[in-house]
Amino acid sequence: CSVTISEPVGQNNWGVNYPATQMCAVNGSTVDMHCTYSYPLNDNGIDTTVTDRFWLIEGTVDLKTQPKYAGRAEYICDNRKCTLRIRDLTESDSAVYKFRFITNQAGGSYTGQPGVTLTVTDPPNLPSVSVSPSEIVEGSSVTLTCSSDANPAANYTWYKENGLRLLSENTQFVFTSINSSDSGQYNCTAENQLGTSSEYIFINVKYPPRLPSVSVSPSEIVEGSSVTLTCSSDANPAAKYTWYKSDTHLKSIHEEPQFVFRSIKSSDSGQYYCEAGNKLGTSRSESVSIDVKYRPNLPSVSVSPSEIVEGSSVTLTCSSDANPAANYTWYKENGLRLLSENTQFVFTSIKSSDSGQYNCTAENQLGTSSEYIFINVKCE
């Protein structure tokens, strides 16, 4: 505030002089408003005496009669001087104060003009920060608002987190279409020439699940082993998961992203996918293939034709369910004589000496399995 100095009044005239007609003080401080006053020593032969003196607020009301000044305001008056002292100033004390004195003369009262204009200033109080709407969803419009009681009025600055990124110099900061990456702490600083004050608010942007990914552990799956499928999706709030196999629902909604085979079977081979969902939506993963490896099952062996005549063509066939596919080996009787390494062994013109037991072994890297068949060659 600027300070205006008034001109002194003469000693023998009615008047009030305010050394300063405009004053500034800070909220919570103490201010002294001074004045000197004058009046004729006598009038019509009667000595003039002062019978009362007080300060008026807004020119009409004795300040000491106002409850809000109780215990805070006092008059310090002596020898044609009077000081108004107000403690613990608040912004509501900003007003025009005038001194008035009354004498024993008829009509002998005088109110000094223009009075003292007091302006109580205030550094910004702790700002109030708010966000609208309270539930923040990705893509929506969101407004951050900052306000602080200050005199003179505060200027506002918005920063994100560490204060290095200036966002706005207005009381409001608006996201027209908020992103999940906008989650975080936002700081508002209110400032005037008397000081600064800051407060922060944390915003949490909700969004539906992103495209889930599925992983399989271990990568090499062997029958009887433990296998874990894991589904992960970035979501806020956190997603719940549902597992499916070839469009067959496998597991009810639950909060764990894993589906575990304690002892996987060959029948568990197939296509699996997961669905991640929260209250904002759902998202389905790409399918992942589970291929369960297992050793050959007991081979199935057969002979064709069933009636074997010397000189005819005869085929022995061996098959076994295995993953990966089995390799086959044919032996006669004691296994010392290798006959074939194919699923079939063919006699183009069988002899009676070919009668006997034939063994087929199915083998892959996980193990072997064997079976035999007995053939009896008849003579014509």
Side-chain angles (χ1 to χ4, degrees):
C1 296
S2 60
V3 177
T4 301
I5 306 301
S6 62
E7 295 295 330
V9 297
Q11 291 293 313
N12 295 316
N13 297 315
W14 294 95
V16 175
N17 175 58
Y18 303 102
T21 57
Q22 293 194 38
M23 299 183 69
C24 286
V26 178
N27 188 29
S29 66
T30 298
V31 67
D32 286 345
M33 289 174 271
H34 303 285
C35 77
T36 59
Y37 56 96
S38 62
Y39 51 89
L41 295 179
N42 58 70
D43 190 9
N44 299 321
I46 302 174
D47 291 338
T48 305
T49 59
V50 176
T51 59
D52 203 358
R53 51 198 168 187
F54 44 85
W55 286 82
L56 306 176
I57 184 171
E58 301 300 343
T60 59
V61 180
D62 182 0
L63 180 140
K64 279 197 170 181
T65 66
Q66 301 302 299
K68 78 170 188 173
Y69 291 100
R72 296 195 301 124
E74 65 174 317
Y75 302 156
I76 305 170
C77 300
D78 181 47
N79 194 26
R80 301 194 185 192
K81 296 179 181 179
C82 195
T83 297
L84 168 62
R85 176 171 292 166
I86 305 175
R87 301 179 181 86
D88 301 323
L89 287 168
T90 67
E91 288 182 66
S92 65
D93 294 329
S94 296
V96 177
Y97 296 83
K98 297 178 181 180
F99 177 74
R100 179 178 178 83
F101 66 96
I102 300 174
T103 69
N104 62 341
Q105 298 286 354
S109 64
Y110 192 87
T111 301
Q113 302 293 339
V116 179
T117 300
L118 174 66
T119 301
V120 180
T121 58
D122 192 11
N125 292 337
L126 185 69
S128 169
V129 290
S130 62
V131 58
S132 178
S134 56
E135 183 78 7
I136 303 171
V137 179
E138 189 174 48
S140 63
S141 175
V142 175
T143 300
L144 305 183
T145 301
C146 182
S147 61
S148 175
D149 186 18
N151 185 20
N155 296 315
Y156 297 92
T157 309
W158 281 99
Y159 297 91
K160 184 174 183 186
E161 294 172 349
N162 56 12
L164 298 178
R165 180 183 167 201
L166 175 63
L167 301 175
S168 173
E169 294 182 315
N170 298 308
T171 183
Q172 289 188 327
F173 175 55
V174 179
F175 301 90
T176 54
S177 179
I178 200 164
N179 297 318
S180 60
S181 59
D182 293 321
S183 291
Q185 179 179 304
Y186 289 80
N187 301 320
C188 170
T189 296
E191 181 177 10
N192 63 14
Q193 56 263 47
L194 300 174
T196 63
S197 187
S198 297
E199 184 60 294
Y200 70 90
I201 191 169
F202 189 87
I203 64 174
N204 184 23
V205 181
K206 308 293 181 66
Y207 51 94
R210 310 300 194 215
L211 181 67
S213 63
V214 176
S215 62
V216 182
S217 179
S219 56
E220 185 77 11
I221 301 172
V222 178
E223 190 172 43
S225 65
S226 175
V227 176
T228 301
L229 306 184
T230 301
C231 183
S232 60
S233 174
D234 183 22
N236 189 14
K240 295 182 179 181
Y241 298 91
T242 309
W243 284 97
Y244 296 88
K245 178 185 179 183
S246 300
D247 296 325
T248 301
H249 185 258
L250 277 184
K251 205 167 184 66
S252 60
I253 294 177
H254 63 112
E255 295 182 359
E256 295 298 326
Q258 293 184 328
F259 182 60
V260 179
F261 300 91
R262 300 299 178 189
S263 180
I264 200 165
K265 302 174 183 177
S266 60
S267 58
D268 292 323
S269 293
Q271 298 291 316
Y272 291 80
Y273 66 89
C274 71
E275 187 174 81
N278 63 15
K279 63 182 180 180
L280 300 176
T282 60
S283 185
R284 171 179 165 174
S285 73
E286 298 293 332
S287 294
V288 63
S289 179
I290 299 297
D291 185 23
V292 181
K293 306 295 179 66
Y294 51 95
R295 60 179 294 170
N297 292 335
L298 185 67
S300 170
V301 292
S302 62
V303 59
S304 178
S306 57
E307 185 76 15
I308 303 172
V309 178
E310 191 175 35
S312 64
S313 174
V314 175
T315 301
L316 303 182
T317 301
C318 181
S319 63
S320 174
D321 185 20
N323 186 16
N327 296 315
Y328 297 93
T329 309
W330 281 99
Y331 296 89
K332 185 174 182 184
E333 296 175 348
N334 57 11
L336 299 178
R337 181 182 169 198
L338 176 63
L339 302 175
S340 174
E341 291 182 323
N342 297 307
T343 183
Q344 289 186 330
F345 175 53
V346 179
F347 299 90
T348 55
S349 179
I350 201 166
K351 302 172 183 178
S352 59
S353 60
D354 292 325
S355 292
Q357 179 180 303
Y358 289 81
N359 299 321
C360 170
T361 297
E363 181 179 10
N364 64 13
Q365 60 261 44
L366 300 175
T368 63
S369 187
S370 298
E371 185 60 292
Y372 70 91
I373 191 171
F374 190 85
I375 62 173
N376 183 23
V377 181
K378 297 181 179 180
C379 298
E380 290 185 331

